[in-house]
């Protein structure tokens, strides 16, 4: 959960700050979208790709079942697509689309994660199976 929230925040806030650059600049805030606009866009893409990795790692770590990884893939790939468009075009339209998508992406991803969560019984069953294999 922490990994998802960490990686999600960068496309969300970088796309939000992009359209507010003039306001941040006038107010004297040193935001990445003002001081390093290329980095702002690259970070959004990098962390969108990170979401794919984090969601794929969840079943490997025993947190969710593989259905979560498969079901979250289209959501995350669309985030990557919008982030890449934001990186390429860097206009208010692409940043606004990415920002709006992040608003629905996180609740959808959390719902999928909740539905795909492994129960304690599943974890205990897996441990017992491993113990039987080790003893054999």
């Amino acid at each position: 959960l922490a990994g998802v929230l960490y990686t999600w925040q960068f496309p969300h806030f970088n796309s939000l700050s992009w359209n507010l650059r003039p306001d941040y600049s006038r107010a004297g805030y040193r935001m990445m979208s003002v001081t390093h606009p290329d980095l702002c866009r690259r970070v959004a893409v990098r962390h969108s790709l990170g979401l794919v990795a984090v969601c794929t790692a969840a079943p490997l770590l025993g947190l969710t079942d593989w259905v979560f990884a498969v079901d979250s893939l289209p959501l995350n790939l669309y985030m990557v697509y919008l982030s890449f468009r934001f990186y390429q075009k860097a206009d208010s339209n692409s940043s606004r689309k990415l920002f709006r998508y992040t608003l629905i992406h996180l609740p959808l991803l959390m719902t999928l994660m909740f539905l795909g969560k492994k129960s304690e019984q599943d974890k205990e069953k897996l441990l017992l199976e491993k113990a039987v294999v080790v003893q054999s």
Side-chain angles (χ1 to χ4, degrees):
L1 178 64
V4 168
L5 293 174
Y6 178 78
T7 54
W8 171 86
Q9 72 179 334
F10 289 96
H12 175 75
F13 288 111
N14 288 5
S15 60
L16 172 64
S17 70
W18 190 261
N19 285 335
L20 300 174
R21 286 179 301 153
D23 297 331
Y24 286 136
S25 186
R26 277 194 303 271
Y29 288 111
R30 298 191 42 83
M31 300 293 287
M32 186 172 27
S33 60
V34 175
T35 59
H36 300 94
D38 290 340
L39 180 62
C40 178
R41 297 187 331 261
R42 280 195 312 268
V43 166
V45 173
R46 185 179 316 141
H47 284 274
S48 294
L49 289 167
L51 275 168
V52 175
V54 167
C55 291
T56 303
L60 295 172
L61 297 171
L63 302 173
T64 64
D65 54 25
W66 281 100
V67 174
F68 167 72
V70 172
D71 288 346
S72 66
L73 191 59
L75 293 173
N76 292 329
L77 289 178
Y78 190 62
M79 173 86 88
V80 170
Y81 169 74
L82 290 175
S83 295
F84 190 70
R85 284 192 53 208
F86 170 58
Y87 173 76
Q88 286 181 320
K89 293 187 178 187
D91 60 5
S92 63
N93 188 36
S94 62
S95 67
R96 192 174 298 117
K97 282 182 182 178
L98 176 58
F99 174 71
R100 288 182 180 154
Y101 183 70
T102 63
L103 295 175
I104 62 168
H105 178 267
L106 187 62
L108 290 173
L109 202 57
M110 293 294 109
T111 301
L112 289 175
M113 187 174 263
F114 175 75
L115 294 173
K117 179 181 174 258
K118 284 197 175 177
S119 68
E120 288 302 315
Q121 291 173 346
D122 291 341
K123 291 177 185 176
E124 289 173 9
K125 185 178 170 184
L126 184 62
L127 285 174
L128 286 173
E129 289 172 0
K130 285 182 180 180
V132 169
V133 169
V134 170
Q135 290 177 354
S136 299

